[in-house]
Amino acid sequence: SQQGEEDPQALSIQEGENATMNCSYKTSINNLQWYRQNSGRGLVHLILIRSNEREKHSGRLRVTLDTSKKSSSLLITASRAADTASYFCATDGNQGGKLIFGQGTELSVKP
Amino acid sequence: DSGVTQTPKHLITATGQRVTLRCSPRSGDLSVYWYQQSLDQGLQFLIHYYNGEERAKGNILERFSAQQFPDLHSELNLSSLELGDSALYFCASSPGTGNTGELFFGEGSRLTVL
């Protein structure tokens, strides 16, 4: 079973708008990560947030983590057409050696 | 370029056949992970090797097997192939083991079973 579940499954916005994707997970974690995948390509790591962190920034990305609700959100500000991709959250489920991915959010940014 | 190399990029074969997918991790990375991505199942963790030893196993079928060699490259063997095995197979690597940090993914091997 998937550890992480993303919401929404698909998101379509205009360039310049912000995009918010949410992830919920089931068990305790050491960290939560977000990855990006362009169509048919390999996944690329975006950001990692540890279980004792609440918010993290990287460029136009902002990630929050609420361990009490077992949820995380990824905000992409001032989106660009090049941000069009699928975004996945991944958790280690406090198991080590095993990173479990959610089903992903498909983001489409229209120019 | 992640530094992880997967071959072949594309593979078309028939049901009942056997294929081997190969992965070379980033220089210096000791951990190799295999994932299967399909439209209906999403990204499924298959297996994790660290420095030649199996460390974690996921939803890997008995028809599938993997190993990591002394030079740290890894192979995923898929046998008695079925139509449902058609998928993208990804290899990823990381420096260590234990608490899982950032993974570096290859571009994948797309397997089509006819």
Side-chain angles (χ1 to χ4, degrees), chain B residues 6-50:
Chain B
Q6 288 188 248
T7 57
K9 285 186 169 44
H10 301 275
L11 192 55
I12 301 174
T13 188
T15 54
Q17 294 299 304
R18 173 189 168 96
V19 298
T20 297
L21 309 180
R22 182 188 167 100
C23 169
S24 293
R26 287 189 329 155
S27 177
D29 283 357
L30 299 178
S31 272
V32 168
Y33 306 78
W34 285 98
Y35 285 85
Q36 178 195 57
Q37 186 177 38
S38 60
L39 282 176
D40 55 344
Q41 293 290 322
L43 202 60
Q44 295 283 329
F45 169 76
L46 296 178
I47 199 161
H48 167 215
Y49 278 87
Y50 175 76

Side-chain angles (χ1 to χ4, degrees), chain A residues 29-86:
Chain A
I29 59 172
N30 292 309
N31 65 63
L32 184 144
Q33 303 178 44
W34 286 89
Y35 286 79
R36 166 196 168 121
Q37 183 183 31
N38 285 10
S39 181
R41 304 293 301 275
L43 281 79
V44 175
H45 180 264
L46 294 176
I47 196 165
L48 180 153
I49 186 165
R50 303 196 185 283
S51 59
N52 61 354
E53 296 175 311
R54 292 296 167 258
E55 188 170 311
K56 203 161 181 182
H57 297 253
S58 176
R60 294 184 296 112
L61 305 181
R62 182 177 81 114
V63 168
T64 61
L65 179 64
D66 186 336
T67 52
S68 67
K69 295 181 179 177
K70 292 187 169 59
S71 68
S72 173
S73 68
L74 171 68
L75 168 67
I76 304 174
T77 59
S79 63
R80 305 165 182 167
D83 294 329
T84 295
S86 292

Side-chain angles (χ1 to χ4, degrees), chain B residues 5 21 29 41 57 61 63 84 88 96 110:
Chain B
T5 304
L21 309 180
D29 283 357
Q41 293 290 322
K57 216 166 185 176
L61 300 172
R63 301 183 285 107
L88 255 176
R110 183 174 293 280

